[in-house]
Amino acid sequence: MAKIGINIATGSLQQSEMIVGIDLGTTNSLVAIIHPELKRPIALKEHDSSSLVPSIVHFDEYGNASVGEVAKGFLETEPQNTIFSAKRLMGKSYNDVKNNAGFFTYKVIDDNTESLVKVQVGNQFYSPIDLSSFILKELKQRAEHILKTPVTKAVITVPAYFNDAQRQATRDAGKLAGLDVLRIINEPTAASLAYGLGLEKDDERTIAVYDLGGGTFDVSILKITNGIFEVLSTNGDTYLGGDDFDRLIIQHWLKEIGLTEDELHTNKQLAQTLRLIAEEAKKHLSTNEVFEFDTAILNTPKSSLTTYNLKLKTPNLRLTTYDFNLLIAPLIEKTITSCNNALKDAGLAATDIDTIVMVGGSTRVPAVKNAVSAFFGKPVNDSVNPDEVVALGAAVQADILAGNNKDFLLLDITPLSLGLETMGGLMDVLIPRNSKIPTKVGRQYTTYQDGQSGMRISVFQGERDLVKDNRKLAEFNLTGIPGMPAGLPKVEVNFLINADGILVVTAKELRSGVQQSIEVKPQYGLTDAEVEQMLLDSITHAKDDIQTRALVEARTEGEQILTVTEKFLTKNANLISKDEMLATANAMQALQLAITMEDKNLIQTKTEELNEVTRPFAERAMDAAISGAMKGQNIMG
Ligand code: ADP
Ligand code: MG
């Protein structure tokens, strides 16, 4: 299904590679694409099977991994080798998850509590990144099988509350699976995109995305303005979802069967069977009033439910919507409390929400939909399949990145400031952090020395005032500047970040037209954790940095004045009286001393004094070039 296009202008063939959208879920994962002919997102699936791949990895005795439905079959019977919910471990240390240790039926390694968790199966260790990569590999293979073309590029979604470490871990898992992860986007943003929200040019709205999946619940309040999705707040419960509904149903039936939970734990086969029936009951009740299951069907030698048949009050497992709703009411109530908190954090009232988007398989439960719609006071958007909606939206984003949807750009923001090194090693920020991209900023600089023919352009990323504390991205020399007095050349430096996040730096001397440019990937080689560390450092050192910057600025100005004055004296000795010469020499010496002492206030005073002394004769010999330099704008060496 790969498309081949012909560029009409050049006549050349263009093969546009399919970029897929992936929902890497806690419970289920899936792949979606924009159908090349239908031009709308579709979830990929083999004939007659579901698009959903359970996010479960099973390892056999030889360490071979299987993923999906097959692995799910081992959940109860081989809990030590069957890893579910690996997403919960992404970017976490054991300390982060130890309070929920009971949740994991497999071995989560706890010998080094600070480092990232690993899972032990047999004598092998797997990081959550390894585990997620197994799932992604499976998704990639399925997609390739269905599309009959290699799949190497993807957009992957993560919960809005994922921190940098968790996002980076997801990116790494993609890389490990052989995928070039073009972008990580928030699940609620993806879900909104699947509904076409934010795709209209002047669309401005506030959206609540309610996502109730298998094991997690979250609600996000988003604001869309001009194609920019801003997360105003998120709330939720990472241990609340459809699996809990299943558990409540099982507990309800156990009472009827006359079994305790402990007895169930000792019979893995029965536990497995009951869990499957409970989930089936729950799904059935989303569209029916009554569920009935004839346990006689289980009368096979393998099943052990029948061995308990004598204890059953009825031969059927039965559940009505009415009973089910009573069971889950407290859980639904919890999610509504979260919605309320999310609104509070966003500083909004329920009536401020324009659109409510339902995400996650568990929102198929009518009682859930009703509660959410009652809370927000309007009908919810549930027309897109809730367990596919995130992947479908990721496909929409993928299509935009592929350049197939040129009408609009999804904007991103820069994680760190970008700037140039100026005199004294100071960082001159051109694009502040959190700027929306694409963006373009230009600024003029000039030379520092007479006849200076080259200028070093050093590009840095970071929040600190001195470039030595930031990260150097690139450097180049603008050469061939025609000989001019210091301060006369006008060098315009432009920073342009395109929609792919590529920074292009151009330097041009405006009087002569000499030009040079370079391309850099600002994020390249910098992990999200490093970005976070750089931001933290900038906060910790903010006070020192301000003082250092003030000193460097004073020193640079002082040094400039000294150079210019010296030059002036040698050139114009005839214009200056002996007294003036002496006073100037003294003032220069005092300033030089202040600079050596690195005393900012003293440097400023002495600079001022030198200025006072030289003003009369400087005025007498007005030299355009010198006065230009003495204004001392941004000057670089
Ligand atoms: P996640 O985002 O955590 O990967 P999903 O969005 O795929 O999870 O949701 C999975 C949950 O949805 C499971 O608990 C599943 O039982 C539940 N679910 C799926 N279909 C239905 C349905 N028709 N009615 C009720 N719950 C459903
Ligand atoms: Mg999900």
Side-chain angles (χ1 to χ4, degrees):
M1 231 188 273
K3 260 193 314 186
I4 295 185
I6 297 173
N7 184 327
I8 303 171
T10 62
S12 63
L13 282 183
Q14 291 180 318
Q15 177 127 23
S16 71
E17 200 198 338
M18 187 84 64
I19 305 176
V20 300
I22 296 179
D23 173 5
L24 182 60
T26 310
T27 317
N28 295 303
S29 299
L30 71 153
V31 185
I33 57 156
I34 299 293
H35 192 286
E37 278 93 48
L38 302 176
K39 304 272 180 235
R40 60 175 180 79
I42 54 156
L44 295 181
K45 59 175 173 186
E46 307 269 11
H47 300 291
D48 309 330
S49 68
S50 164
S51 57
L52 302 183
V53 177
S55 308
I56 302 175
V57 187
H58 169 260
F59 295 95
D60 69 12
E61 52 189 314
Y62 308 107
N64 299 317
S66 64
V67 172
E69 281 306 335
V70 181
K72 195 174 176 180
F74 292 100
L75 263 187
E76 272 84 7
T77 52
E78 295 186 25
Q80 322 81 334
N81 335 339
T82 310
I83 317 301
F84 63 95
S85 285
K87 184 173 175 178
R88 291 178 190 282
L89 301 174
M90 285 297 245
K92 300 256 167 130
S93 70
Y94 184 74
N95 268 342
D96 295 331
V97 293
K98 65 167 185 262
N99 290 339
N100 298 98
F103 174 84
F104 303 97
T105 55
Y106 41 87
K107 194 161 166 48
V108 178
I109 293 303
D110 57 352
D111 45 8
N112 186 349
T113 47
E114 284 311 316
S115 64
L116 296 181
V117 287
K118 283 208 167 168
V119 166
Q120 184 175 9
V121 179
N123 49 15
Q124 290 288 322
F125 294 88
Y126 301 98
S127 70
I129 296 175
D130 296 329
L131 297 165
S132 296
S133 84
F134 285 120
I135 297 167
L136 289 170
K137 243 180 254 168
E138 170 75 19
L139 294 174
K140 173 173 146 67
Q141 273 166 16
R142 282 185 190 218
E144 289 176 337
H145 188 247
I146 296 166
L147 296 171
K148 312 260 180 293
T149 174
V151 170
T152 60
K153 296 192 165 97
V155 169
I156 303 181
T157 59
V158 295
Y161 56 79
F162 255 29
N163 64 25
D164 287 337
Q166 294 170 302
R167 285 166 199 264
Q168 188 57 39
T170 306
R171 207 178 259 285
D172 291 346
K175 214 185 283 171
L176 212 55
L179 290 168
D180 182 6
V181 182
L182 298 185
R183 210 165 277 190
I184 296 283
I185 66 168
N186 289 331
E187 287 163 12
T189 302
S192 305
L193 284 174
Y195 275 96
L197 301 170
L199 293 179
E200 298 291 328
K201 278 248 155 54
D202 301 311
D203 193 9
E204 263 209 50
R205 67 172 80 217
T206 311
I207 305 172
V209 181
Y210 179 100
D211 183 346
L212 189 58
T216 59
F217 165 69
D218 56 271
V219 54
S220 311
I221 311 292
L222 306 181
K223 183 157 183 66
I224 308 182
T225 7
N226 302 318
I228 299 158
F229 287 75
E230 190 187 347
V231 180
L232 298 183
S233 66
T234 66
N235 210 291
D237 185 335
T238 47
Y239 289 87
L240 169 62
D243 297 347
D244 299 299
F245 294 3
D246 304 348
R247 213 163 296 131
L248 289 171
I249 295 174
I250 294 170
Q251 285 167 2
H252 174 80
W253 281 341
L254 282 178
K255 269 187 223 147
E256 297 204 341
I257 301 171
L259 274 182
T260 65
E261 279 195 66
D262 284 345
E263 284 176 281
L264 186 67
H265 285 316
T266 57
N267 189 334
K268 303 261 197 277
Q269 193 66 50
L270 176 64
Q272 167 105 323
T273 311
L274 270 184
R275 186 179 51 74
L276 292 174
I277 304 172
E279 187 175 5
E280 193 188 319
K282 172 184 72 176
K283 290 181 181 173
H284 183 79
L285 292 177
S286 288
T287 43
N288 300 273
E289 292 294 317
V290 190
F291 172 84
E292 267 180 326
F293 188 86
D294 184 355
T295 52
I297 299 171
L298 295 173
N299 207 356
T300 62
K302 235 187 132 197
S303 167
S304 33
L305 184 58
T306 45
T307 58
Y308 293 92
N309 254 354
L310 292 175
K311 294 185 184 174
L312 288 177
K313 286 177 193 149
T314 76
N316 286 351
L317 290 175
R318 205 183 120 88
L319 191 68
T320 63
T321 308
Y322 180 83
D323 290 333
F324 176 57
N325 288 349
L326 281 181
L327 288 176
I328 63 171
L331 299 186
I332 296 180
E333 198 43 48
K334 265 185 156 178
T335 70
I336 297 300
T337 306
S338 288
C339 292
N340 207 6
N341 291 337
L343 280 178
K344 233 186 271 163
D345 290 346
L348 297 174
T351 45
D352 295 324
I353 303 297
D354 305 310
T355 315
I356 305 134
V357 171
M358 299 300 264
V359 179
S362 303
T363 61
R364 285 232 176 76
V365 174
V368 170
K369 262 186 237 187
N370 294 338
V372 176
S373 141
F375 173 74
F376 287 104
K378 49 171 77 75
V380 297
N381 281 25
D382 60 355
S383 57
V384 179
N385 184 339
D387 30 45
E388 292 183 347
V389 65
V390 168
L392 296 175
V396 172
Q397 167 74 77
D399 195 49
I400 294 164
L401 290 178
N404 297 334
N405 189 344
K406 289 222 164 56
D407 292 347
F408 90 110
L409 288 165
L410 255 196
L411 301 180
D412 229 339
I413 54 173
T414 54
L416 291 169
S417 301
L418 294 164
L420 286 182
E421 174 177 2
T422 55
M423 279 298 295
L426 284 178
M427 173 89 172
D428 192 25
V429 171
L430 274 87
I431 300 180
R433 81 183 212 89
N434 280 342
S435 296
K436 281 154 194 153
I437 61 175
T439 185
K440 188 181 171 195
V441 176
R443 192 168 296 169
Q444 278 189 18
Y445 297 88
T446 188
T447 51
Y448 171 56
Q449 282 163 350
D450 285 338
Q452 188 177 326
S453 67
M455 188 181 265
R456 191 164 45 88
I457 311 283
S458 305
V459 185
F460 285 83
Q461 179 181 38
E463 308 312 307
R464 304 286 301 277
D465 275 0
L466 292 179
V467 292
K468 72 171 175 57
D469 299 320
N470 290 328
R471 183 170 177 270
K472 188 188 254 178
L473 293 177
E475 185 172 88
F476 66 93
N477 279 310
L478 177 66
T479 51
I481 302 174
M484 281 182 255
L488 208 55
K490 278 190 185 162
V491 175
E492 187 173 272
V493 178
N494 273 301
F495 274 37
L496 177 123
I497 307 183
N498 64 22
D500 296 331
I502 308 285
L503 169 70
V504 179
V505 179
T506 324
K508 183 177 184 179
E509 201 289 300
L510 297 178
R511 294 184 200 275
S512 60
V514 176
Q515 190 173 334
Q516 199 103 29
S517 75
I518 193 166
E519 248 188 35
V520 262
K521 254 194 187 154
Q523 269 271 248
Y524 185 74
L526 201 59
T527 65
D528 288 356
E530 285 170 315
V531 169
E532 200 171 358
Q533 191 53 48
M534 288 174 85
L535 291 177
L536 282 176
D537 284 350
S538 75
I539 296 165
T540 328
H541 296 288
K543 218 175 135 202
D544 301 345
D545 276 6
I546 291 170
Q547 282 165 3
T548 315
R549 174 177 279 273
L551 172 63
V552 171
E553 275 171 357
R555 191 176 58 203
T556 304
E557 197 189 344
E559 280 168 352
Q560 275 174 241
I561 300 286
L562 283 177
T563 313
V564 168
T565 311
E566 205 169 79
K567 214 176 342 169
F568 183 87
L569 291 183
T570 41
K571 259 197 201 158
N572 307 289
N574 55 329
L575 292 174
I576 308 164
S577 73
K578 248 214 172 80
D579 284 353
E580 282 174 333
M581 191 67 105
L582 206 64
T584 309
N586 280 338
M588 285 175 75
Q589 217 166 42
L591 175 56
Q592 190 58 62
L593 191 66
I595 290 173
T596 318
M597 288 161 63
E598 303 212 316
D599 180 334
K600 189 206 78 179
N601 290 338
L602 195 62
I603 297 174
Q604 280 170 336
T605 319
K606 294 299 163 196
T607 302
E608 209 34 59
E609 282 174 16
L610 177 60
N611 268 331
E612 283 300 314
V613 176
T614 56
R615 184 167 299 127
F617 56 83
E619 276 169 7
R620 248 178 279 152
M622 230 358 196
D623 180 303
I626 293 173
S627 73
M630 285 180 89
K631 282 202 191 92
Q633 319 123 357
N634 287 308
I635 294 182
M636 311 195 309

